[in-house]
Amino acid sequence: MPVDFETDDLTAALEAAGFDRTRPVVVVWLGVTLYLTADAVEQTVARVAGLTTGRTDLVLDYSEPRRGGGEAARRRAARADRAAAIGEPWLTHFTPPDLAALLERNGFEEAEDLGSSGWGGRYLGLPPGTPDRPSGHLVHATRHRTGASAL
Ligand SMILES: C[S@@+](CC[C@H](N)C(=O)[O-])C[C@H]1O[C@@H](n2cnc3c(N)ncnc32)[C@H](O)[C@@H]1O
């Protein structure tokens, strides 16, 4: 069932699809936050936080705001322009502390936030010492519910 995170109710859509809100859940949400408004990211994380009476594991990625100059910044700006030109503008970036705060206010503990050298080393075999680029971060967060009911 498709969901527009800007306008739709994720919880209702999952319930309509038969989602069991008493079971632990793993949500993998990759490649999306960059394309949403900050409000939609916040709302979606809040929805995910309230999905289940069990444990929630959330994996998401985010992009840091552009900083610095030089060739890398120029290439990144060109990629952003190309994305906007095909109707997929990059709307929302987070600093690592801002993303951690978003998770925390929704009851998540941030288990891990890997910058590009971290996930590049682990998953792409990049050598240790590869400089971090201020681009994609990969995050794993957990939420342990203690209440009796979800949302
Ligand atoms: C770069 S693709 C990533 C696709 C896939 N998740 C992945 O990791 O390969 C960006 C995705 O964001 C989704 N997206 C963008 N805005 C959205 C919105 N408002 N609601 C739901 N999905 C959205 C698009 O449908 C698209 O699938």
Side-chain angles (χ1 to χ4, degrees), residues 3-6 30-32 35-36:
V3 166
D4 185 334
F5 294 116
E6 297 288 346
L30 295 178
V32 186
Y35 302 98
L36 299 181

Side-chain angles (χ1 to χ4, degrees), residues 3-10 29 32-44 47 89 91-92:
V3 166
D4 185 334
F5 294 116
E6 297 288 346
T7 54
D8 293 338
D9 181 335
L10 174 64
W29 197 36
V32 186
T33 62
L34 184 60
Y35 302 98
L36 299 181
T37 59
D39 273 357
V41 176
E42 180 90 38
Q43 288 301 316
T44 304
R47 295 276 187 207
L91 298 180
T92 298

Side-chain angles (χ1 to χ4, degrees), residues 47-73:
R47 295 276 187 207
V48 170
L51 273 183
T52 174
T53 51
R55 169 184 166 139
T56 301
D57 284 84
L58 171 62
V59 176
L60 60 78
D61 61 352
Y62 70 94
S63 179
E64 279 190 75
R66 202 180 300 170
R67 58 175 145 85
E71 182 55 21

Side-chain angles (χ1 to χ4, degrees), residues 10-150:
L10 174 64
T11 314
L14 285 170
E15 279 186 324
F19 180 77
D20 181 349
R21 298 183 63 188
T22 66
R23 304 283 300 277
V25 61
V26 177
V27 174
V28 179
W29 197 36
L30 295 178
V32 186
T33 62
L34 184 60
Y35 302 98
L36 299 181
T37 59
D39 273 357
V41 176
E42 180 90 38
Q43 288 301 316
T44 304
V45 171
R47 295 276 187 207
V48 170
L51 273 183
T52 174
T53 51
R55 169 184 166 139
T56 301
D57 284 84
L58 171 62
V59 176
L60 60 78
D61 61 352
Y62 70 94
S63 179
E64 279 190 75
R66 202 180 300 170
R67 58 175 145 85
E71 182 55 21
R74 195 197 60 73
R75 282 203 305 271
R76 189 170 185 228
R79 283 204 308 279
D81 288 346
R82 285 198 298 276
I86 61 168
E88 296 184 0
W90 295 355
L91 298 180
T92 298
H93 298 79
F94 293 94
T95 63
D98 284 348
L99 196 282
L102 163 68
L103 293 170
E104 189 180 341
R105 65 179 168 266
N106 285 287
F108 284 97
E109 293 164 27
E110 189 179 81
E112 194 170 41
D113 179 337
L114 293 175
S116 63
S117 60
W119 56 256
R122 184 180 299 173
Y123 300 114
L124 303 179
L126 295 184
T130 302
D132 243 332
R133 294 183 304 166
S135 52
H137 282 241
L138 183 62
V139 173
H140 173 206
T142 57
R143 187 174 200 278
H144 302 271
R145 284 188 72 91
T146 51
S149 64

